[in-house]
Amino acid sequence: MPVPTSVSTPNDHRKGVGLGLALLSALAFGGSGVAAKPLIEAGLDPLHVVWLRVAGAALVMLPLAVRHRGLLRRRPGLLAGFGLFAVAGVQACYFAAISRIPVGVALLVEYLAPALVLGWVRFVQRRPVTRAAAVGVVLAVGGLACVVEVWAGLGFDALGLLLALGAACCQVGYFVLSDQGSDGAEVPDPLGVIAYGLLVGAAVLTVVARPWSMEWAVLTGSAEMNGTPVAAFVLLAWIVLVATVAAYVTGVVSVRRLSPQVAGVVACLEAVIATVLAWVLLGEHLSAPQLVGGAVVLAGAFIAQSSAPAKGSGTPVASGGPERELSTPGTAA
């Protein structure tokens, strides 16, 4: 009797490619803080590093903005929200936070965003929240208490923690905005939203960061990565081309091949990758309770986002991973 063999279907191949792209996106996003922190320690202001990242990525993505110029007329509010919150707000707060606290801690605090979204849904929108979602929120908050070691009287820089929390709140703002902006028959192309979000973010950051006062000479020298000198322009190229452009594009394409929930699970690896890279490349070691707390935060974030109440169309209120990918066309991650 012939032995049954498994047959690979086009759908399996599509999901396999999507999973690989999601992993690449998590890896690319996870390396942004590790590359940025040496530049900050070399003398660049965190806001200037953010401006370089966003302005450089906006220039690379400019052809996509031209291609999707119709979005300016159809979704001006969504583009402004993405630029202000998901680009300028999140990244400015995150980079400012890592200048004061470890990269892994800052990113784990940022992972409170899915839990905060559910708070908005329950107490502001007054929509029901499942019991599983509530459990996810409790886990995320409890895990965060371990990450920041509350029993030690918040040994980390309080301002750094507040900035990381600000990054999480900026994500919430875009979650809420994009959830409303996804209503309607014509959903905007996420790559176009990203391109214009970067342009809006670059414009806002130009006013705030005042790049003309930047220490440009830092970019011609080297920055130390745990004692090893690395050319500053190499770090900047990684931040712009890999940690921003490639990360966004692979993230969006992966979600189109996977469900938002699956992509969100993979995106949770971003915090793990960032923590491991910071440990290996920057020498930022976390204690055993912090590592356990980090795992609990990620578990809570996953439960919270996968249990988010669905709208009438079936679109989750918030799904996907934390830093800046669009989980479905017109929604943030």
Side-chain angles (χ1 to χ4, degrees):
M1 183 176 180
V3 179
T5 57
S6 59
V7 179
S8 177
T9 65
N11 191 47
D12 292 335
H13 177 71
R14 178 183 177 87
K15 289 182 177 179
V17 173
L19 183 60
L21 289 172
L23 289 171
L24 286 175
S25 180
L27 177 62
F29 274 134
S32 65
V34 175
K37 191 156 189 172
L39 292 176
I40 295 171
E41 293 177 343
L44 284 181
D45 186 274
L47 274 178
H48 290 158
V49 178
V50 176
W51 181 84
L52 288 168
R53 177 185 189 180
V54 174
L59 186 62
V60 174
M61 298 285 280
L62 187 58
L64 279 174
V66 174
R67 179 180 177 183
H68 296 285
R69 55 189 176 275
L71 287 175
L72 287 171
R73 174 176 49 83
R74 298 195 307 270
R75 289 289 195 275
L78 181 60
L79 301 183
F82 189 84
L84 290 173
F85 293 107
V87 175
V90 170
Q91 295 183 23
C93 288
Y94 173 63
F95 276 19
I98 65 173
S99 70
R100 309 181 71 96
I101 62 177
V103 170
V105 172
L107 199 52
L108 287 168
V109 173
E110 196 177 319
Y111 260 90
L112 281 179
L116 294 175
V117 168
L118 290 177
W120 173 275
V121 170
R122 178 64 184 88
F123 298 108
V124 178
Q125 295 183 335
R126 298 187 180 280
R127 292 164 57 187
V129 173
T130 65
R131 183 175 299 178
V135 170
V137 173
V138 172
L139 284 175
V141 174
L144 182 63
C146 294
V147 171
V148 301
E149 296 182 327
V150 292
W151 56 85
L154 289 179
F156 289 111
D157 186 290
L159 179 57
L161 292 175
L162 285 175
L163 288 167
L165 184 60
C169 290
C170 285
Q171 283 193 50
V172 172
Y174 183 68
F175 279 146
V176 173
L177 175 68
S178 60
D179 180 54
Q180 297 171 352
S182 61
D183 292 331
E186 187 177 357
V187 180
D189 188 293
L191 289 176
V193 175
I194 290 172
Y196 276 104
L198 288 168
L199 286 172
V200 171
V204 171
L205 288 169
T206 298
V207 176
V208 175
R210 298 186 298 174
W212 49 86
S213 64
M214 187 188 311
E215 294 289 340
W216 292 94
V218 174
L219 298 177
T220 63
S222 62
E224 287 200 359
M225 184 174 283
N226 198 23
T228 303
V230 180
F233 75 88
V234 172
L235 295 174
L236 179 60
W238 175 275
I239 292 171
V240 172
L241 299 177
V242 178
T244 307
V245 176
Y248 274 123
V249 173
T250 54
V252 169
V253 176
S254 71
V255 174
R256 289 181 171 182
R257 294 172 178 266
L258 303 169
S259 69
Q261 288 77 13
V262 173
V265 175
V266 179
C268 285
L269 291 175
E270 179 190 342
V272 178
I273 291 169
T275 301
V276 171
L277 289 177
W279 194 316
V280 174
L281 299 178
L282 302 180
E284 294 183 348
H285 294 198
L286 300 184
S287 65
Q290 288 175 316
L291 293 174
V292 173
V296 175
V297 170
L298 296 180
F302 165 64
I303 294 172
Q305 69 182 14
S306 61
S307 303
K311 299 171 66 175
S313 61
T315 303
V317 172
S319 56
E323 194 186 3
R324 353 307 131 209
E325 83 187 51
L326 300 181
S327 56
T328 58
T331 58

